[in-house]
């Protein structure tokens, strides 16, 4: 078991495995220990950022990125931050396009990125179903980060039906209510324990003091 201040000296592949399997508590501890010991890699930093994003802990992901310093130029760190930044700005369409980017295919983070894309899409459907009584195809395409043809199926799955007005969809209240009820937060990982969260918070304060 990893403890604060003591790295387990595990390889990056094992760390990414923690992320893919949802064990982000252990990943966060190991990443902060490496950060404190000066042994953090770009893969480790990117894994930590994506781990926080997977729990909807976007401010923690931002803080982690701001502490990466030279590693901020690492391709995976920069890509993980781009997703985080879009979500912080509530630009879900941008985040979804970034998560669908082919750069992830075949890489170490492909599994978690696929899971995040599904979670962000699910969350965005719920937000749109709550916020709109009618929406144009073009606006929906922008929000969901897809083209105008693909967004029709997205709208239908999100509780909208075609309007007599061309290019317009209107909400079906009953269907939209079901979509809102089913929508989940971005959190796709195992929940962090209160003790782990408290320890993590204290350790971040220590690193930044």
């Amino acid at each position: 078991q990893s403890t604060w201040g003591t790295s387990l000296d595990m390889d990056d592949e094992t760390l990414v495995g923690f992320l893919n399997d949802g064990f982000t508590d252990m990943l966060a501890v190991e990443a902060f220990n490496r950060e404190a010991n000066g042994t953090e890699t770009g893969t480790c930093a990117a894994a930590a950022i994506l781990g926080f994003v997977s729990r909807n802990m976007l401010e923690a992901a931002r803080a982690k990125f701001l502490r990466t310093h030279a590693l901020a130029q690492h391709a995976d760190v920069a890509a993980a931050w781009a997703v985080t930044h879009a979500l912080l700005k509530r630009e879900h369409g941008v985040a979804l396009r970034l998560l669908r980017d082919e750069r992830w295919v075949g890489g170490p983070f492909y599994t978690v990125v696929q899971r995040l894309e599904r979670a962000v899409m699910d969350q965005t459907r719920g937000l749109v179903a709550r916020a709109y009584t009618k929406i144009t195809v073009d606006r929906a395409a922008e929000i969901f980060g897809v083209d105008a043809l693909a967004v029709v199926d997205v709208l239908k799955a999100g509780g909208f039906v075609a309007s007599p007005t061309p290019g317009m969809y209107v909400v079906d209240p009953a269907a939209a209510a079901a979509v809102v009820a089913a929508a989940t937060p971005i959190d796709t990982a195992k929940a962090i324990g209160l003790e782990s969260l408290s320890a993590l918070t204290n350790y971040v304060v220590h690193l930044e003091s």
Side-chain angles (χ1 to χ4, degrees), residues 40-119:
E40 188 171 41
T41 63
T43 298
C44 177
I49 292 168
L50 291 172
F52 285 128
V53 173
S54 76
R55 290 163 132 150
N56 209 20
M57 298 171 65
L58 300 179
E59 289 299 336
R62 185 212 299 266
K64 176 61 185 171
F65 173 75
L66 292 176
R67 294 195 307 276
T68 58
H69 304 300
L71 291 176
Q73 302 304 315
H74 186 279
D76 287 335
V77 173
W81 168 244
V83 172
T84 306
H85 190 236
L87 290 172
L88 281 164
K89 294 173 67 178
R90 299 183 181 179
E91 295 178 347
H92 290 83
V94 174
L96 286 164
R97 285 192 294 271
L98 290 169
L99 289 167
R100 297 181 193 121
D101 194 286
E102 291 186 359
R103 75 163 312 281
W104 303 106
V105 178
F109 300 111
Y110 187 53
T111 297
V112 73
V113 164
Q114 283 187 303
R115 197 164 65 223
L116 274 172
E117 191 273 338
R118 290 192 297 269

Side-chain angles (χ1 to χ4, degrees), residues 66-197:
L66 292 176
R67 294 195 307 276
T68 58
H69 304 300
L71 291 176
Q73 302 304 315
H74 186 279
D76 287 335
V77 173
W81 168 244
V83 172
T84 306
H85 190 236
L87 290 172
L88 281 164
K89 294 173 67 178
R90 299 183 181 179
E91 295 178 347
H92 290 83
V94 174
L96 286 164
R97 285 192 294 271
L98 290 169
L99 289 167
R100 297 181 193 121
D101 194 286
E102 291 186 359
R103 75 163 312 281
W104 303 106
V105 178
F109 300 111
Y110 187 53
T111 297
V112 73
V113 164
Q114 283 187 303
R115 197 164 65 223
L116 274 172
E117 191 273 338
R118 290 192 297 269
V120 174
M121 179 63 97
D122 180 51
Q123 186 188 56
T124 305
R125 276 198 202 95
L127 292 171
V128 170
R130 283 196 298 269
Y132 289 85
T133 56
K134 60 183 179 180
I135 189 169
T136 65
V137 167
D138 289 343
R139 176 59 178 150
E142 178 185 359
I143 291 173
F144 288 102
V146 295
D147 62 36
L149 290 176
V151 83
V152 170
D153 289 335
V154 174
L155 285 171
K156 289 177 179 177
F160 286 80
V161 295
S163 163
T165 304
M168 181 75 72
Y169 276 73
V170 296
V171 72
D172 175 337
V179 170
V180 170
T184 58
I186 293 173
D187 185 357
T188 58
K190 291 178 176 60
I192 189 168
L194 292 177
E195 290 184 1
S196 297
L197 181 58

Side-chain angles (χ1 to χ4, degrees), residues 8-57:
L8 290 179
D9 196 28
M10 63 184 72
D11 58 28
D12 284 345
E13 184 177 355
T14 302
L15 276 177
V16 174
F18 286 154
L19 176 62
N20 289 335
D21 292 338
F23 295 107
T24 50
D25 283 10
M26 192 174 294
L27 166 63
V29 173
E30 180 66 10
F32 277 111
N33 288 340
R34 285 195 188 188
E35 180 184 328
N37 298 336
T39 58
E40 188 171 41
T41 63
T43 298
C44 177
I49 292 168
L50 291 172
F52 285 128
V53 173
S54 76
R55 290 163 132 150
N56 209 20
M57 298 171 65

